[in-house]
């Protein structure tokens, strides 16, 4: 009989390592690490990819020490609501601590992906200098750096393959940063500079593109004029993913023909984006690639419905479509008829503050899509009206939805026909779509919808709630149900202390909870922090009055961010944040 | 030309009769910090913005002249801030936009080590804009920039802007409302580049 777990020694470590390499999910590798000491040791030594969903959940040095052979890391910082200016700009999420620890402990790091973090120019330079084989840098929704930092990065990163700058706030202080890539640099595969505001020197970029034969992805920024774009693109007919610059100019037939033939030359193009300010004159130049496109992002294109319709009807193989609500219901009906392989749809508001005459995008468009696109699983939809009946139809049509984010622009909007709350509609969604992982609610909603969500949304991982609910019961339903909930973000709801305290232990099973403009008091936060030492309870108050200790228990908390952590309270809180 | 902004003179008087929370004599709360403001790099800018905002108050709905603006809820609808600012607004048939969200544009001065950002909605006209810019870049200019012409007595400089087509234009030619809807960034040009530009008086 084998004593204890001695069977682990029956095979050499390399064999177990090879077995573990088939486990893609971190959760599975975590489970393996709990079986015995030997497996814990083998697993941690062989883990190559690390994902840190909250940069404050663990100390950088601890993470680096536990997994010494990491080659790829992804780290997220600020809460999601930072995207909508609800989080103070100095809240935190600085990348230095992580980059410094990684420079020390992971010299072989090849990939780094940061989201919603504050990255300084020094950080960028440190990244370029510290990792000999560094190949992939992805910065999404970050800020704190400038084009001077990018210049330093370009100059020092010898083997860079991917530079992905997505929706960052980048200070423009170095005009020719692209020229800092050395002449010997030829390894570029993917370059995304769409978020940069400044001009980019076209001839330098052309040179770069010409000497990088493996370039597959090129996403330019808005600034480049159309004529220059054409000559640039002629150097890279092998592109698979293209983000154009401005797509409008005074009409020149010659320019149009050049543009058209350039696009005709793209034999491998699958993904198209950019197309800022597209005019009807130049849009038809794209027609030749439509058939092969699987991803089309038109959310910056102020194209009206008729032109949009003509364009998307040709995209028979489209899997992902991001578009402005200018497409209108008619356009979406055409999409439903033509794009049978559609999996993801996002419709953004062209006029979020309602100053222009309203356009004809209603619930009908979404219903048509749900009926016509059988593979649809991910939806983000901004509109101004909705009915329970429409939501029920969508739920019945598409039980395979995994992500449903509906934003009815005016808060508290009821079913516009029955004037009822939209409880029934959203309940239908969670009851029908058993694999729903992400849900955003809007419109007039009572506690009833939360009862349904708590009971039915068993796979739900992320829930966003705004201007909804009647009482604490709403929050209680969520926290006492939703077995797999990881992230909960709530604003402007009448949820308070009782639900929070009654479900304190639930919070340790989640990554984070954000509550702003709700009815939570400081006293409850204090109690919660006392009860749950492995939670950081951060109270955010930007009025910067007296320190937290002096406020009474019934002090209303404006913004609250709670997250589980093994690192204890963080040391970099700004003046407006207190860890209770 | 600046009809929509002509109530400026009366603005100060009306303020006394406004219904407001807070004791008389206290200022209304400032607008939330610019989304573009970064923690450590921008400390100087924050103070500058506060100053200019105190001088020229944001569009006040109570004045009764502008069409009633919807009260802006912070962070709603949930769209990314850069999408709000950098994306050109839809062509609107209706009159002046009642939007209360800020319209931040970068201001660069040739030779200055860093740029600034200002909210164009805060200013009522070219005069106020010029004053605010003078204030902001005071530390970098040698001589006073004259208000009338585009050039100063000491070194020549002119305020130019990049419009939505990407062209470099001289500030002051078009009506104020048209200017703020098409201005993407401002640039204070100095030296020999300025001599090529025609200087004009502007209201």
């Amino acid at each position: 009989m084998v004593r204890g777990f001695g069977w682990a020694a029956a095979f050499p470590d390399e064999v177990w390592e090879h077995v573990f390499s088939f486990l893609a999910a971190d959760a599975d590798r975590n489970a393996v690490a709990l079986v015995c000491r030997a497996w814990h040791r083998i697993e941690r030594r062989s883990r190559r990819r690390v994902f840190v969903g909250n940069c404050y959940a663990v100390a950088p040095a601890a993470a680096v020490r536990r997994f010494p052979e990491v080659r790829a890391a992804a780290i997220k910082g600020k809460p999601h609501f930072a995207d909508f200016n609800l989080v103070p700009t100095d809240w935190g999420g600085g990348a230095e601590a992580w980059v410094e620890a990684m420079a020390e402990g992971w010299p072989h790091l090849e990939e780094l992906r940061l989201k919603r973090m504050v990255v300084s120019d020094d950080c960028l330079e440190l990244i370029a200098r510290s990792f000999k084989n560094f190949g992939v840098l992805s910065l999404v929704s970050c800020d704190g750096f400038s084009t001077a930092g990018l210049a330093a990065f370009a100059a020092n990163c010898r083997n860079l393959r991917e530079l992905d700058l997505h929706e960052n706030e980048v200070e423009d202080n170095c005009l020719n940063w692209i020229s800092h890539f050395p002449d010997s640099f030829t390894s570029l595969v993917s370059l995304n500079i769409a978020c940069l505001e400044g001009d980019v020197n076209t001839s330098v970029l052309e040179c770069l593109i010409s000497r990088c034969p493996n370039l597959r992805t090129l996403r330019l920024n808005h600034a480049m004029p159309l004529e220059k774009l054409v000559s640039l693109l002629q150097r890279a007919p092998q592109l698979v993913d293209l983000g154009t610059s401005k797509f409008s100019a005074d009409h020149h037939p010659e320019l149009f023909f050049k543009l058209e033939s350039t696009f005709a030359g793209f034999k491998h193009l699958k993904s198209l984006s950019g197309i800022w300010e597209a005019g009807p004159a130049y849009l038809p130049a794209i027609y030749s690639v439509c058939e092969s496109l699987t991803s089309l992002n038109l959310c910056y294109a102020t194209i009206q419905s008729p032109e949009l319709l003509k364009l998307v009807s040709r995209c028979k193989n489209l899997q992902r479509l991001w578009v402005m609500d200018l497409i209108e219901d008619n356009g979406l009906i055409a999409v439903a008829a033509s794009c049978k392989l559609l999996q993801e749809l996002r419709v953004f508001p062209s006029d979020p503050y309602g100053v222009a005459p309203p356009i004809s995008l209603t619930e009908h468009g979404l219903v048509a899509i749900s009926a016509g696109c059988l593979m649809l699983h991910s939806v983000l939809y901004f509109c101004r009206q909705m009915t329970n009946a429409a939501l029920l139809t969508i739920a019945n049509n598409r039980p395979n939805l995994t992500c449903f984010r509906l934003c009815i622009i005016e808060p508290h909007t009821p079913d516009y026909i029955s004037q009822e709350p939209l409880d029934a509609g959203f309940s239908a969604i969670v009851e029908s779509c058993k694999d729903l992982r992400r849900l955003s609610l809007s419109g007039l909603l009572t506690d009833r919808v939360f009862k349904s969500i708590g009971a039915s949304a068993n796979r739900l991982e992320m829930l966003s709630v705004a201007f909804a609910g009647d009482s604490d019961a709403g929050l209680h339903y969520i926290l006492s149900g939703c077995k797999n909930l990881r992230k909960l973000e709530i604003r402007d709801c009448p949820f308070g202390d009782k639900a929070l305290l009654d479900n304190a232990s639930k919070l340790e099973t989640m990554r984070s909870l954000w509550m702003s403009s709700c009815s939570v008091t400081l006293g409850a936060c204090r109690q919660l922090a006392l009860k749950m030492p492995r939670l950081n309870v951060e109270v955010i108050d930007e009025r910067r009055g007296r320190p937290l200790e002096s406020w009474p228990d019934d002090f209303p908390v404006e913004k609250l961010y709670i997250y589980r952590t093994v690192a204890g309270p963080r040391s970099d809180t700004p003046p407006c944040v207190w860890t209770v | 030309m600046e009809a929509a902004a002509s109530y400026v003179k009366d603005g100060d008087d009306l303020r006394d009769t406004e219904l407001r929370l807070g004791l008389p004599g206290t200022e209304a709360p400032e607008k939330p910090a610019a989304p573009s403001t970064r923690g450590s790099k921008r400390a100087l800018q924050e103070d500058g913005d506060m100053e200019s905002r105190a001088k020229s108050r944001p569009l006040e709905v109570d004045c009764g002249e502008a069409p009633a603006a919807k009260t802006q809820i912070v962070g709603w609808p949930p769209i990314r801030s850069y999408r709000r600012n950098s994306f050109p607004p839809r062509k609107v048939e209706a009159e002046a936009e009642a939007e209360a969200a800020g319209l931040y544009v970068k201001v660069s001065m040739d030779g200055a080590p860093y740029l600034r950002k200002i909210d164009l909605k805060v200013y009522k006209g070219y005069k106020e804009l010029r004053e605010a810019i003078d204030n902001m870049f005071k530390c970098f200019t040698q001589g006073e920039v004259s208000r009338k012409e585009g050039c100063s007595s000491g070194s020549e400089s002119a305020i130019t802007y990049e419009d939505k087509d990407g062209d470099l234009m001289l500030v002051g030619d078009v009506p104020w409302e048209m200017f703020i809807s098409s201005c993407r960034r401002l640039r204070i040009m100095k030296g020999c580049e300025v001599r090529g530009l025609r200087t004009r008086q502007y209201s």
Side-chain angles (χ1 to χ4, degrees):
Chain A
M1 182 179 114
V2 181
R3 187 168 48 91
F5 284 102
W7 53 262
F11 295 114
D13 288 0
E14 294 78 25
V15 173
W16 290 122
E17 207 176 291
H18 184 68
V19 170
F20 299 160
S21 70
F22 292 98
L23 300 172
D26 282 347
D28 292 336
R29 291 194 74 110
N30 291 345
V32 147
L34 294 175
V35 168
C36 64
R37 285 196 206 286
W39 277 23
H40 186 274
R41 174 177 42 86
I42 297 165
E43 193 284 313
R44 66 175 270 264
R45 288 242 166 89
S46 60
R47 195 177 304 209
R48 293 276 185 272
R49 312 193 76 92
V50 150
F51 169 72
V52 182
N54 174 4
C55 63
Y56 292 120
V58 60
V64 168
R65 204 172 33 237
R66 163 117 187 235
F67 302 112
E69 297 297 329
V70 164
R71 298 285 181 271
I75 308 171
K76 294 189 179 182
K78 301 184 191 182
H80 174 235
F81 274 176
D83 285 357
F84 317 129
N85 297 340
L86 288 178
V87 178
T89 44
D90 57 351
W91 173 84
E96 303 82 38
W98 278 95
V99 173
E100 279 163 13
M102 292 190 285
E104 272 265 345
W106 290 339
H108 302 291
L109 190 71
E110 293 171 13
E111 290 182 24
L112 184 59
R113 296 171 201 275
L114 302 176
K115 185 166 183 180
R116 276 187 219 105
M117 296 195 77
V118 180
V119 182
S120 65
D121 286 347
D122 288 341
C123 252
L124 287 177
E125 191 164 351
L126 188 59
I127 292 170
R129 288 187 193 278
S130 308
F131 310 112
K132 296 286 170 296
N133 288 331
F134 198 75
V136 174
L137 180 66
S138 168
L139 300 176
V140 176
S141 305
C142 296
D143 64 279
F145 63 102
S146 69
T147 42
L150 291 177
F153 182 77
N156 290 296
C157 194
R158 297 291 139 83
N159 299 311
L160 187 69
R161 293 188 309 281
E162 285 180 36
L163 178 60
D164 174 33
L165 303 174
H166 185 76
E167 297 185 2
N168 302 295
E169 293 254 4
V170 185
E171 185 58 55
D172 189 18
N173 57 5
C174 178
L175 275 178
N176 266 322
W177 71 272
I178 295 238
S179 59
H180 288 249
F181 283 112
D183 290 336
S184 55
F185 174 69
T186 58
S187 50
L188 202 60
V189 172
S190 169
L191 180 65
N192 174 6
I193 54 170
C195 64
L196 297 184
E197 285 178 25
D199 291 325
V200 172
N201 187 321
T202 321
S203 44
V204 170
L205 194 53
E206 255 182 69
C207 249
L208 178 65
I209 289 170
S210 307
R211 66 179 190 273
C212 294
N214 295 320
L215 194 70
R216 294 283 169 273
T217 298
L218 180 64
R219 295 192 185 181
L220 302 166
N221 68 343
H222 165 266
M224 190 177 297
L226 202 52
E227 316 82 57
K228 302 228 170 126
L229 174 69
V230 171
S231 64
L232 193 79
L233 292 183
Q234 281 165 354
R235 310 258 177 182
Q238 79 282 15
L239 286 180
V240 173
D241 182 327
L242 170 64
T244 69
S245 58
K246 211 168 15 168
F247 224 68
S248 70
D250 296 331
H251 187 70
H252 288 303
E254 206 184 294
L255 181 55
F256 177 85
F257 287 131
K258 272 197 212 160
L259 192 61
E260 198 184 30
S261 67
T262 306
F263 269 88
F266 287 130
K267 301 291 176 219
H268 307 281
L269 203 67
K270 290 255 175 302
S271 171
L272 186 60
S273 59
I275 324 225
W276 273 285
E277 298 164 26
Y282 286 100
L283 207 55
I286 302 180
Y287 286 173
S288 54
V289 294
C290 286
E291 186 94 18
S292 57
L293 288 181
T294 57
S295 169
L296 181 57
N297 181 352
L298 295 171
C299 67
Y300 295 107
T302 38
I303 323 173
Q304 301 300 318
S305 185
E307 279 83 35
L308 273 175
L309 215 145
K310 273 191 238 166
L311 183 63
V312 295
S313 319
R314 302 175 120 88
C315 301
K316 307 263 185 264
N317 289 304
L318 215 53
Q319 294 172 17
R320 175 162 63 183
L321 176 62
W322 292 18
V323 74
M324 299 283 284
D325 57 3
L326 301 167
I327 195 171
E328 298 190 340
D329 287 338
N330 287 336
L332 289 177
I333 290 169
V335 170
S338 320
C339 310
K340 291 305 189 187
L341 301 178
L342 196 69
Q343 297 179 20
E344 179 184 328
L345 174 70
R346 294 195 192 188
V347 178
F348 294 95
S350 57
D351 177 37
Y353 304 107
V355 289
I359 43 166
S360 180
L361 180 102
T362 68
E363 75 277 15
H364 297 299
L366 188 56
V367 170
I369 294 277
S370 73
C373 303
L374 306 184
M375 300 176 63
L376 185 77
H377 64 78
S378 176
V379 170
L380 170 63
Y381 200 77
F382 282 82
C383 61
R384 293 188 182 277
Q385 62 184 55
M386 187 52 60
T387 63
N388 282 313
L391 286 171
L392 240 106
T393 309
I394 293 165
N396 286 333
N397 286 342
R398 292 278 60 77
N400 52 328
L401 285 175
T402 56
C403 171
F404 189 72
R405 292 150 77 190
L406 180 67
C407 180
I408 305 166
I409 292 180
E410 189 63 36
H412 308 298
T413 306
D415 176 321
Y416 74 97
I417 293 180
S418 69
Q419 296 304 312
E420 298 274 295
L422 291 170
D423 297 336
F426 278 105
S427 298
I429 296 277
V430 292
E431 281 155 20
S432 167
C433 307
K434 307 256 186 274
D435 282 328
L436 196 69
R437 289 200 289 276
R438 185 166 178 184
L439 177 65
S440 297
L441 305 172
S442 58
L444 183 65
L445 295 166
T446 73
D447 286 343
R448 279 197 305 270
V449 73
F450 296 110
K451 191 164 187 198
S452 306
I453 296 173
S456 308
N458 293 319
R459 292 263 165 83
L460 193 67
E461 294 174 4
M462 182 169 177
L463 178 63
S464 307
V465 186
F467 305 102
D470 311 310
S471 72
D472 252 9
L475 182 57
H476 176 72
Y477 288 134
I478 300 291
L479 292 178
S480 56
C482 296
K483 282 191 306 226
N484 282 303
L485 194 64
R486 289 191 198 166
K487 288 187 284 181
L488 180 57
E489 48 185 25
I490 303 172
R491 63 164 295 175
D492 294 275
C493 298
F495 299 153
D497 300 342
K498 188 167 189 309
L500 212 55
L501 290 170
D502 285 349
N503 295 284
S505 46
K506 169 77 170 179
L507 298 177
E508 221 180 86
T509 69
M510 293 164 49
R511 185 189 298 170
S512 65
L513 166 64
W514 169 278
M515 288 179 74
S516 56
S517 306
C518 297
S519 314
V520 181
T521 65
L522 189 53
C525 295
R526 287 174 171 145
Q527 277 184 274
L528 187 63
L530 218 58
K531 195 169 171 189
M532 309 290 299
R534 281 192 302 211
L535 291 181
N536 275 356
V537 177
E538 291 189 5
V539 166
I540 299 168
D541 191 311
E542 290 171 272
R543 282 163 293 184
R544 297 171 205 215
R546 288 151 35 209
L548 190 82
E549 292 74 39
S550 58
W551 290 109
D553 276 350
D554 59 1
F555 183 73
V557 168
E558 179 55 31
K559 295 179 182 174
L560 176 63
Y561 187 52
I562 301 172
Y563 54 90
R564 67 178 175 191
T565 177
V566 292
R570 57 184 173 114
S571 52
D572 63 350
T573 46
C576 60
V577 177
W578 286 274
T579 310
V580 177
Chain B
M1 275 205 278
E2 288 175 27
S6 61
Y7 61 81
V8 172
K9 269 197 242 148
D10 301 321
D12 286 339
D13 301 327
L14 282 175
R15 218 190 302 155
D16 292 333
T17 55
E18 271 172 41
L19 292 177
R20 250 202 278 152
L21 297 175
L23 299 168
T26 57
E27 284 283 296
E30 296 290 352
K31 278 161 58 157
S36 60
T37 324
R38 284 179 263 296
S40 51
K41 289 173 89 167
R42 300 311 213 150
L44 203 64
Q45 176 183 4
E46 185 97 59
D47 295 336
D49 277 352
M50 289 299 185
E51 256 177 47
S52 60
R53 234 177 260 134
K55 281 187 199 156
S56 36
R57 295 186 57 76
L59 208 64
E60 288 272 282
V61 185
D62 330 278
C63 288
E65 303 248 1
K70 248 188 212 172
T71 21
Q72 277 316 306
I73 305 169
V74 175
W76 192 266
I79 51 177
R80 294 293 316 280
S81 50
Y82 76 90
R83 174 181 288 279
R84 248 184 280 148
N85 274 354
S86 61
F87 183 66
R90 267 186 72 212
K91 310 237 182 306
V92 175
E93 279 89 325
E95 63 284 75
E97 282 182 339
E99 187 185 306
L103 187 63
Y104 287 94
V105 296
K106 286 186 181 167
V107 187
S108 64
M109 174 181 270
D110 292 353
Y114 51 82
L115 284 70
R116 304 294 302 262
K117 244 190 177 159
I118 57 172
D119 177 3
L120 290 179
K121 297 258 173 194
V122 157
Y123 307 107
K124 307 287 193 283
Y126 287 116
K127 186 158 170 290
E128 285 199 19
L129 175 68
R130 178 158 281 272
E131 276 169 14
I133 289 182
D134 282 355
N135 254 341
M136 250 187 218
F137 286 95
K138 221 187 317 220
C139 42
F140 300 124
T141 52
Q142 257 96 44
E144 266 282 307
V145 181
S146 149
R147 306 242 164 118
K148 289 242 179 84
E149 310 286 334
C151 21
S152 70
S153 46
S155 60
E156 290 179 0
S157 82
I159 304 186
T160 62
Y161 70 100
E162 183 187 307
D163 71 356
K164 55 179 186 275
D165 297 323
D167 299 319
L168 193 66
M169 319 277 293
L170 184 68
V171 161
D173 287 342
V174 300
W176 176 253
E177 296 303 328
M178 195 188 296
F179 165 70
I180 59 172
S181 71
S182 62
C183 172
R184 294 288 158 255
R185 65 186 284 168
L186 288 158
R187 181 180 158 201
I188 304 168
M189 290 173 76
K190 307 206 93 152
C192 53
E193 279 185 279
V194 173
R195 276 179 227 120
L197 294 169
R198 245 187 92 216
T199 53
R200 294 235 337 233
Q201 292 227 347
Y202 54 85
S203 46

